Amino acid sequence: MEKDKIDENILKESGLKNTKHRTTILEFLRDASQPVSAEQIYCDLKEKNVSINISTVYRTLETLIDKELILKHSVTNENKALFEYNNRVHKHYLVCMGCKKITSIENCPLHDYEKVLENNTGFRITGHKLDVYGYCPECQRKGIGKQNIED
Amino acid sequence: MEKDKIDENILKESGLKNTKHRTTILEFLRDASQPVSAEQIYCDLKEKNVSINISTVYRTLETLIDKELILKHSVTNENKALFEYNNRVHKHYLVCMGCKKITSIENCPLHDYEKVLENNTGFRITGHKLDVYGYCPECQRKGIGKQNIED
DNA sequence: TTAATTGCAAACACTTTGCACGCTA
DNA sequence: TAGCGTGCAAAGTGTTTGCAATTAA
């Protein structure tokens, strides 16, 4: 496992002090399989006997976002933010409306579209966010989301 | 102006009782030029001397969402929801990072992509949400968002 | 040593809920 | 009149902030 040591340099390179909480949270996000909430980070660290305060979690996340080491997402109809390690790969998300699991899609169909839009609108386009919604194979198997079951 | 009378039938057709607050909010959203927050609705109605409680605004919005008469959005880095009249046109949004103004785009480049994705992932795709970010012509003129001014 | 980071508690902003009263169908 | 809709106050969530103590560089 070469997993655990990488991050310390990343912090230095971004001009951040190297603290235990920062590396812990950054490693946690790097190893997470999908975007997670501040509370999930907090609880998970507690389970691992890492003593940390929820406000420190938020402050750390904010710092890491500023330095673009992580990304923040808002999901429609969820009132809490989700955070994800920024591995600098342009991604989109497939959100299951049944189990709420978020899968990432690395293929992006929109490269050319941004240029068309710049020409049509006069905006300087800096990025985009695409989320696709549906039901995953497992939820379909369970019958979740099979049209409207009833009202 | 034929603007003001349409909505009463819409409520009936959705199986909702016809109340003043519901028609007022629905008309307000129908006539809004962009998605608005619950508080904006509340304040705007107060200015027009409509007496309403903020909890009624939220409850009404929830009801209208259930009946799909309106849509709810979450914008990244904003911690409040925005609501919009559902005119049943598939739309995307162009969000200005400078002035935060939201412009809608009625052209959708993703029709075919959803089918590709269904084949690749096994998901049953029910919809998608695309937001494009950038700087509007006016903000560019003012020099807002001209790369990084400094760090 | 010095400034940045943290914990704690308290404050905040947005949203939801319980209950009694009021109004639509 | 029966039951849904509303106002009010209070509680919930998720997030932020002030301040004193702690820690990294």
Side-chain angles (χ1 to χ4, degrees), chain A residues 67 72-79 92 94-97 101 103 105 107-110 113-114 116-117 120-137 140 144-147 151, chain B residues 67 72-79 92 94-97 101 103 105 107-110 113-114 116-117 120-137 140 144-147 151:
Chain A
K67 299 299 182 180
K72 181 177 181 177
H73 300 280
S74 302
V75 181
T76 295
N77 296 333
E78 294 284 315
N79 41 4
H92 294 306
L94 196 44
V95 182
C96 179
M97 312 283 284
K101 195 177 154 91
T103 311
I105 310 166
N107 158 17
C108 174
L110 293 165
Y113 181 63
E114 289 195 352
V116 174
L117 214 49
N120 291 349
T121 64
F123 269 64
R124 182 166 71 80
I125 307 293
T126 55
H128 63 255
K129 178 184 166 170
L130 170 64
D131 296 334
V132 182
Y133 298 94
Y135 293 92
C136 69
Q140 288 175 73
I144 298 170
K146 226 166 195 159
Q147 310 306 334
D151 199 20
Chain B
K67 299 299 181 182
K72 179 177 181 178
H73 300 281
S74 302
V75 181
T76 295
N77 296 331
E78 293 285 314
N79 40 5
H92 294 305
L94 195 45
V95 182
C96 179
M97 313 284 284
K101 194 177 158 90
T103 311
I105 310 166
N107 158 17
C108 174
L110 293 165
Y113 181 62
E114 288 194 354
V116 173
L117 214 49
N120 292 350
T121 64
F123 269 63
R124 182 166 70 80
I125 306 294
T126 55
H128 63 256
K129 176 184 169 173
L130 171 63
D131 295 333
V132 182
Y133 298 94
Y135 293 91
C136 69
Q140 288 175 69
I144 298 169
K146 227 167 194 157
Q147 311 305 336
D151 202 18

Side-chain angles (χ1 to χ4, degrees), chain A residues 14-147:
Chain A
S14 295
L16 293 177
K17 282 189 185 174
N18 197 334
T19 76
K20 196 152 193 193
H21 289 331
R22 283 180 183 160
T23 55
T24 307
I25 289 177
L26 198 49
E27 283 167 3
F28 181 88
L29 288 176
R30 185 198 54 191
D31 299 339
S33 60
Q34 55 179 288
V36 296
S37 68
E39 200 192 8
Q40 281 174 282
I41 295 169
Y42 175 70
C43 294
D44 236 275
L45 296 185
K46 280 226 153 170
E47 278 179 18
K48 293 177 188 163
N49 295 312
V50 176
S51 164
I52 190 170
N53 191 275
I54 187 68
S55 67
T56 303
V57 173
Y58 279 107
R59 277 194 275 229
T60 302
L61 290 169
E62 196 185 9
T63 305
L64 298 175
I65 290 164
D66 278 353
K67 299 299 182 180
E68 298 185 310
L69 296 174
I70 66 173
L71 302 171
K72 181 177 181 177
H73 300 280
S74 302
V75 181
T76 295
N77 296 333
E78 294 284 315
N79 41 4
K80 63 188 162 199
L82 300 181
F83 303 87
E84 177 191 38
Y85 188 75
N86 183 4
N87 52 24
R88 288 151 211 275
V89 173
H90 180 71
K91 275 189 195 174
H92 294 306
Y93 299 90
L94 196 44
V95 182
C96 179
M97 312 283 284
C99 62
K100 306 292 176 188
K101 195 177 154 91
I102 297 173
T103 311
S104 62
I105 310 166
E106 304 225 339
N107 158 17
C108 174
L110 293 165
H111 282 126
D112 301 330
Y113 181 63
E114 289 195 352
K115 276 158 209 152
V116 174
L117 214 49
E118 288 202 328
N119 292 335
N120 291 349
T121 64
F123 269 64
R124 182 166 71 80
I125 307 293
T126 55
H128 63 255
K129 178 184 166 170
L130 170 64
D131 296 334
V132 182
Y133 298 94
Y135 293 92
C136 69
E138 193 174 350
C139 283
Q140 288 175 73
R141 215 176 299 127
K142 292 180 189 164
I144 298 170
K146 226 166 195 159
Q147 310 306 334

Side-chain angles (χ1 to χ4, degrees), chain B residues 60-114:
Chain B
T60 302
L61 290 169
E62 196 185 11
T63 304
L64 297 176
I65 289 164
D66 278 354
K67 299 299 181 182
E68 297 185 311
L69 296 174
I70 66 172
L71 302 171
K72 179 177 181 178
H73 300 281
S74 302
V75 181
T76 295
N77 296 331
E78 293 285 314
N79 40 5
K80 63 188 162 199
L82 299 181
F83 303 87
E84 177 191 37
Y85 189 75
N86 183 4
N87 52 23
R88 288 155 211 271
V89 173
H90 181 70
K91 274 188 196 174
H92 294 305
Y93 298 90
L94 195 45
V95 182
C96 179
M97 313 284 284
C99 62
K100 307 291 177 190
K101 194 177 158 90
I102 298 174
T103 311
S104 63
I105 310 166
E106 303 224 338
N107 158 17
C108 174
L110 293 165
H111 283 126
D112 301 331
Y113 181 62
E114 288 194 354

